[in-house]
Amino acid sequence: MSTQAGSEVKVFLRTRPTANFAENLIEYVDGQTVNVHQKKDSRKGVVNNQLNSWSFRLDGVLHDVSQEEVYARVGRGVVLGAVEGYNGTVMCFGQTGAGKTYTITGASGSYQERGIIPRAIQEVFHEVDQRSTHTFRVQLSYLEIYNESLVDLLASLRGCPGAGPGPGGMAVVEEACGGVSIRGLSLHLVHSEEEALNLLFEGEMNRIIGTHALNKNSSRSHCIFTVHIESHSRTLSEAKYVTSKLNLVDLAGSERLGKIEPEGQMLKEAMYINKSLSFLEQAILALADRRRDHIPFRQSKLTHALKDSLGGNCNTVLVANIYGEAAHVEETLSTLRFASRMKRVQTDPIINQHTDPVLQVRKLQKEIQLLKQELSLHDTMANRMETSYETLSEAQVAEVQSQVQRFLEGSLDEINIESIRQIQEVFRQFKQALELQEQKVKAQLCQNYTLVEKDQSTADSSAAKPQSPSGTVGKVEGRRFGVGVAAPSERHIRSQSPGRTKTLRTKDLTSSPPPKADAFEDFKAEQGSEINRILKENKVVLLECRARLRELTEGVNTTKREIDSTSTTLRQWKDRQQSQGQFISADGVPVLDEAELSLVLRLRDLKTHYRQQYEELHCIKAEVNYCQHLVDQCRTRLLTEFESWYNESFLLPEEVQALLRSGGTIRPGLVPVDKALSLEEDEQEHFERRRYELLADSPSATIFYSAHNRTVKRRNYNKALSQSSVQKTTNRSSQRTKLPAILSVI
Ligand code: ADP
Ligand code: MG
């Protein structure tokens, strides 16, 4: 996105010609500086003929300067920027009669004295004609803001798209790109300077008619004439296009209330003007302060409508119109103050570039075509066979297929790489070959084994008695399998070897065994049901023991706390007595008073109770350890047996397959099981399940769960260590008959 170097808003001063220019009060120095002197107000108790002086530095002083020069210095740069794609704003500010309308629109009926708008229109169309490389679309709108209501000065023109306020009335709306537009404001496409001028005059006429009809003062409204420009490149099929808005703004008179007290409608108008101009000033102050991230644009229609035309990414120029007479010096000062604030606003103009999606696609298609041509050119230059970058034809696909076949058989050493599409086809053919191979293996296995459907297998199983899974492969037969969604395709394979019935179980010969997690659930319900039942019972006992242990620990701790608080109370009692003097019996023996005695007795009872509880705690701890051991043992057995059963039932090791192919016998062996033997209950099972679920297809999951198991083992080992050391400590403590510290609840 192109940008112009960031700068400040440009500010010019223009004086309305007068024979009574107050030379002693307004002083122009070096064409850019204005010094203003003002007599001190005698009403404020000040000395005769004393002066206050102010100095303002601007971008230029337009004093006794023609309309043409004003346009050249103020307008031309902004207008040319707008043709390039930068937003631009020229704004006239000042008290009523100071020459704002004269500057922006000019004296009606005089070509010589035409203002910035007609000259800008002329320049825009001149540029449009000059730039034959681009097509331009120029549209106009003319908005008036009067007493905070929006008026379309071109609404009178019929048949214009967008004309008329519509059901919601006119309103300033924010656009997604951060700009603003006026809903209901008519936009008029113009093709020539003349058409555009017609619209300007039409708008001017409507402004005057409105003034009479509503009996309003024309200088009490703000007017924004906008030229909307859109340009597309003609030569390149360029999808990018630029848009810009050129706002030419004639602000309402800035004079303050006060000199003549207005009434009725005049008062209302004055209030709105004061309000909108002071909001404009606030927005400008905020814009000038780079630290501010919120600018109050929405406070008035004027500031909201000018949101994207004040500073920011817009070329902005302000003309401060003043009277040259001494009588107006106060208003002149206030105009100059506004101007110097405006000058501090920073601008960062950016070309408003957009992309036309339809053109973008067309452009990319063309680029692809060019690149293809370029590639074939390179192939020719490199003496390569003509490479096609198009989709492969049927004949080409058949050729690739044959190459892959020959490569797999070994009659072709390598496949030459020709193009990306050819490589992709090679991969596709490899995949097909692999699938074909799998089907062949399946067919081969089917020749060696009889397929038994699941229903038949279930019938068999009702007759067969379930046995321990640690026997031969044959013993697995008869078990009902629940392998989730894969169940319908489940098969029994019965060996055809005479005299020996070998049955293997598999979901499908071409697919993998059932997930271990599911198989584990099945196993627990059937072959492993007995050991699983014992495991469950042991777990229940273990849980009960733990609950008792927890309860007892809490009890011991409560007693300990009571002992501590009773001891403290007793100590405090004794301390108090020491300071107050102690009772002594007639024979000089210290006498305990009743309260103290009861504390001593209570302490003794508590200690006895504590010892009993502690003994009990010790016993129950041993019981918990024992139960834990039983549970661990059961679990290990369950898992070990499951592993054996699973391996025998579902996995066909290489040597087994070889044996099957050769018609030999199978002697299954136990597959070693790596189990964490002392995992926490449930947690262990949970992680086993997760491991089985993820093991098959995710190596990182395997690593994760191995690491987890190692951590759990280490934790349990540390726990065992710390438990034994706690035990040692408590043993030692009880030998010394000292009460242990508060115990943590297990
Ligand atoms: P504003 O719009 O600020 O209220 P106008 O532009 O209507 O003031 O100017 C008031 C009068 O002064 C108009 O008759 C206008 O022609 C005249 N005038 C203002 N500035 C100039 C100028 N620079 N040269 C000649 N006449 C001017
Ligand atoms: Mg005016």
Side-chain angles (χ1 to χ4, degrees):
M1 199 167 264
S2 317
T3 58
Q4 285 184 350
S7 57
E8 290 153 347
V9 165
K10 298 240 172 325
V11 176
F12 293 87
L13 179 75
R14 188 177 197 194
T15 17
R16 180 180 152 177
T18 172
N20 304 315
F21 186 73
E23 281 167 354
N24 53 338
L25 298 182
I26 303 169
E27 194 186 348
Y28 296 135
V29 190
D30 68 25
Q32 280 188 296
T33 307
V34 191
N35 296 330
V36 180
H37 312 287
Q38 191 190 20
K39 287 199 183 104
K40 284 192 177 173
D41 193 343
S42 57
R43 280 170 301 173
K44 292 176 187 164
V46 181
V47 209
N48 308 332
N49 288 335
Q50 276 206 355
L51 295 175
N52 277 330
S53 299
W54 291 270
S55 182
F56 301 92
R57 184 148 182 88
L58 309 164
D59 292 282
V61 174
L62 309 168
H63 186 58
D64 284 335
V65 167
S66 70
Q67 290 282 67
E68 190 181 348
E69 193 178 335
V70 169
Y71 175 75
R73 293 181 64 187
V74 172
R76 180 160 290 136
V78 181
V79 173
L80 293 177
V83 179
E84 293 288 338
Y86 297 97
N87 285 346
T89 300
V90 179
M91 203 157 50
C92 289
F93 179 89
Q95 78 183 104
T96 300
K100 297 182 296 296
T101 306
Y102 182 82
T103 302
I104 210 88
T105 316
S108 53
S110 161
Y111 181 75
Q112 210 54 35
E113 288 183 79
R114 69 199 193 284
I116 290 174
I117 298 178
R119 286 171 200 269
I121 288 173
Q122 189 180 26
E123 184 107 54
V124 166
F125 281 100
H126 179 252
E127 284 301 311
V128 165
D129 290 344
Q130 293 292 304
R131 300 178 189 218
S132 53
T133 52
H134 287 73
T135 55
F136 285 84
R137 193 178 148 82
V138 181
Q139 294 180 101
L140 303 179
S141 64
Y142 206 173
L143 173 73
E144 185 178 29
I145 303 173
Y146 176 69
N147 288 2
E148 280 303 272
S149 51
L150 304 171
V151 182
D152 184 353
L153 289 175
L154 299 180
S156 55
L157 295 164
R158 284 159 194 257
C160 299
M170 286 175 69
V172 184
V173 288
E174 307 252 349
E175 285 168 350
C177 55
V180 286
S181 63
I182 315 293
R183 189 186 64 212
L185 179 66
S186 58
L187 279 178
H188 303 263
L189 186 66
V190 282
H191 303 92
S192 65
E193 181 188 346
E194 195 184 336
E195 267 182 60
L197 286 176
N198 283 341
L199 289 179
L200 170 66
F201 298 143
E202 174 80 17
E204 286 298 306
M205 186 60 71
N206 286 335
R207 195 177 170 187
I208 293 161
I209 293 168
T211 308
H212 288 295
L214 294 171
N215 191 24
K216 73 181 184 192
N217 185 333
S218 73
S219 71
R220 292 297 187 189
S221 67
H222 311 287
C223 284
I224 307 174
F225 183 87
T226 308
V227 185
H228 306 255
I229 306 172
E230 187 179 310
S231 84
H232 294 256
S233 167
R234 209 194 281 269
T235 46
L236 299 168
S237 56
E238 181 63 81
K240 295 222 161 48
Y241 65 97
V242 293
T243 59
S244 60
K245 272 199 298 192
L246 173 64
N247 286 313
L248 304 164
V249 188
D250 186 359
L251 292 171
S254 62
E255 59 277 6
R256 317 269 139 157
L257 288 175
K259 279 184 187 161
I260 322 145
E261 290 296 328
E263 288 176 349
Q265 182 172 328
M266 288 255 293
L267 175 66
K268 194 172 152 199
E269 282 176 349
M271 268 165 46
Y272 277 121
I273 301 303
N274 270 10
K275 240 166 124 181
S276 65
L277 287 179
S278 84
F279 285 140
L280 178 65
E281 204 157 339
Q282 279 177 29
I284 283 162
L285 278 173
L287 281 167
D289 185 351
R290 287 242 145 174
R291 291 163 304 176
R292 289 276 294 268
D293 49 6
H294 174 72
I295 314 293
F297 285 118
R298 283 160 161 264
Q299 292 188 115
S300 72
K301 292 277 188 321
L302 176 71
T303 46
H304 203 188
L306 292 177
K307 187 185 169 190
D308 54 2
S309 312
L310 294 169
N313 74 344
C314 178
N315 282 315
T316 308
V317 180
L318 177 84
V319 180
N321 293 95
I322 60 160
Y323 280 97
E325 287 88 352
H328 297 285
V329 75
E330 204 175 319
E331 283 300 336
T332 296
L333 253 178
S334 121
T335 301
L336 279 165
R337 285 194 187 110
F338 178 87
S340 67
R341 278 182 206 129
M342 188 74 184
K343 193 169 156 46
R344 295 216 305 272
V345 176
Q346 299 288 318
T347 63
D348 219 348
I350 299 169
I351 286 191
N352 303 300
Q353 215 166 48
H354 313 269
T355 307
D356 182 329
V358 177
L359 284 180
Q360 181 76 350
V361 168
R362 239 183 261 161
K363 191 184 154 203
L364 290 175
Q365 279 171 341
K366 200 167 175 187
E367 206 169 302
I368 290 169
Q369 201 53 45
L370 276 171
L371 288 171
K372 279 181 182 172
Q373 285 169 8
E374 178 112 2
L375 272 173
S376 10
L377 193 74
H378 277 275
D379 289 339
T380 316
M381 280 172 14
N383 256 347
R384 271 204 298 264
M385 271 187 337
E386 201 171 312
T387 310
S388 163
Y389 299 101
E390 303 297 333
T391 319
L392 297 191
S393 66
E394 270 181 43
Q396 284 169 316
V397 171
E399 172 56 23
V400 172
Q401 191 178 21
S402 135
Q403 282 181 343
V404 169
Q405 279 305 326
R406 282 180 283 140
F407 181 77
L408 286 170
E409 287 157 14
S411 60
L412 183 69
D413 284 343
E414 48 190 39
I415 298 172
N416 284 333
I417 289 174
E418 287 164 15
S419 68
I420 297 285
R421 289 189 195 276
Q422 177 244 0
I423 295 171
Q424 283 169 339
E425 189 55 42
V426 167
F427 279 119
R428 222 182 336 266
Q429 290 300 334
F430 269 116
K431 194 177 172 194
Q432 271 183 20
L434 189 73
E435 282 168 2
L436 212 71
Q437 201 65 28
E438 273 180 1
Q439 279 171 14
K440 274 187 191 164
V441 171
K442 182 181 170 186
Q444 206 174 339
L445 279 167
C446 285
Q447 276 181 357
N448 293 341
Y449 298 95
T450 312
L451 281 177
V452 181
E453 289 304 326
K454 186 181 169 183
D455 290 351
Q456 196 185 334
S457 131
T458 318
D460 289 351
S461 73
S462 58
K465 189 170 175 277
Q467 290 176 47
S468 158
S470 57
T472 62
V473 174
K475 285 184 181 170
V476 185
E477 191 192 16
R479 190 189 153 273
R480 186 183 62 79
F481 283 85
V483 283
V485 287
S489 64
E490 213 171 84
R491 301 275 193 282
H492 281 191
I493 312 160
R494 204 172 297 240
S495 167
Q496 288 178 331
S497 310
R500 178 178 287 272
T501 304
K502 285 187 301 197
T503 307
L504 292 179
R505 206 173 275 277
T506 177
K507 277 197 315 178
D508 187 315
L509 284 173
T510 56
S511 68
S512 52
K516 271 196 169 179
D518 293 347
F520 187 53
E521 289 307 311
D522 270 358
F523 177 75
K524 282 196 292 186
E526 296 190 13
Q527 272 79 3
S529 64
E530 184 60 16
I531 181 77
N532 191 42
R533 187 183 58 77
I534 298 171
L535 172 64
K536 275 187 181 162
E537 280 175 14
N538 284 344
K539 276 190 204 168
V540 172
V541 176
L542 176 63
L543 285 177
E544 282 169 2
C545 284
R546 279 189 174 166
R548 264 167 52 213
L549 177 62
R550 199 172 298 125
E551 216 173 276
L552 212 57
T553 311
E554 274 165 11
V556 169
N557 287 340
T558 313
T559 314
K560 175 72 172 64
R561 272 185 223 107
E562 277 182 50
I563 290 172
D564 289 348
S565 79
T566 315
S567 303
T568 313
T569 320
L570 194 60
R571 207 178 313 117
Q572 284 167 349
W573 186 270
K574 278 183 180 161
D575 289 351
R576 210 177 312 137
Q577 278 199 336
Q578 242 170 20
S579 62
Q580 288 172 357
Q582 203 177 18
F583 284 118
I584 300 178
S585 65
D587 38 6
V589 180
V591 177
L592 294 180
D593 81 359
E594 219 172 291
E596 190 179 357
L597 185 62
S598 96
L599 278 173
V600 171
L601 291 176
R602 173 152 175 72
L603 195 59
R604 198 188 62 194
D605 290 348
L606 280 171
K607 283 186 178 174
T608 312
H609 183 53
Y610 180 86
R611 283 199 188 91
Q612 284 165 357
Q613 279 182 315
Y614 197 78
E615 280 297 307
E616 215 181 317
L617 184 77
H618 199 65
C619 295
I620 195 87
K621 256 192 181 171
E623 212 172 318
V624 166
N625 284 342
Y626 182 73
C627 286
Q628 181 69 59
H629 178 69
L630 282 182
V631 166
D632 288 347
Q633 253 187 349
C634 284
R635 184 181 292 122
T636 308
R637 181 121 182 254
L638 178 71
L639 293 171
T640 314
E641 293 197 353
F642 166 70
E643 283 289 336
S644 318
W645 169 83
Y646 185 85
N647 284 313
E648 286 160 13
S649 307
F650 300 111
L651 302 181
L652 289 171
E654 289 258 311
E655 63 273 22
V656 176
Q657 286 184 19
L659 271 170
L660 280 174
R661 274 197 294 276
S662 63
T665 54
I666 300 163
R667 295 179 63 79
L670 275 180
V671 177
V673 186
D674 172 28
K675 289 287 160 283
L677 299 180
S678 54
L679 294 184
E680 286 289 326
E681 60 174 352
D682 297 328
E683 193 186 6
Q684 160 130 10
E685 271 179 39
H686 169 75
F687 274 96
E688 281 300 329
R689 272 180 69 85
R690 292 290 301 136
R691 208 177 127 213
Y692 294 152
E693 277 163 16
L694 295 166
L695 212 55
D697 51 9
S698 167
S700 63
T702 317
I703 293 164
F704 173 83
Y705 285 108
S706 308
H708 175 84
N709 282 349
R710 270 199 301 280
T711 314
V712 172
K713 273 184 197 170
R714 214 168 35 242
R715 194 180 70 196
N716 287 328
Y717 177 71
N718 289 340
K719 206 182 199 175
L721 269 184
S722 67
Q723 266 176 358
S724 71
S725 69
V726 165
Q727 215 156 3
K728 276 180 206 154
T729 323
T730 49
N731 287 346
R732 271 203 306 276
S733 328
S734 56
Q735 275 160 20
R736 276 189 263 126
T737 66
K738 212 179 149 197
L739 295 178
I742 298 278
L743 303 166
S744 62
V745 177
I746 297 165

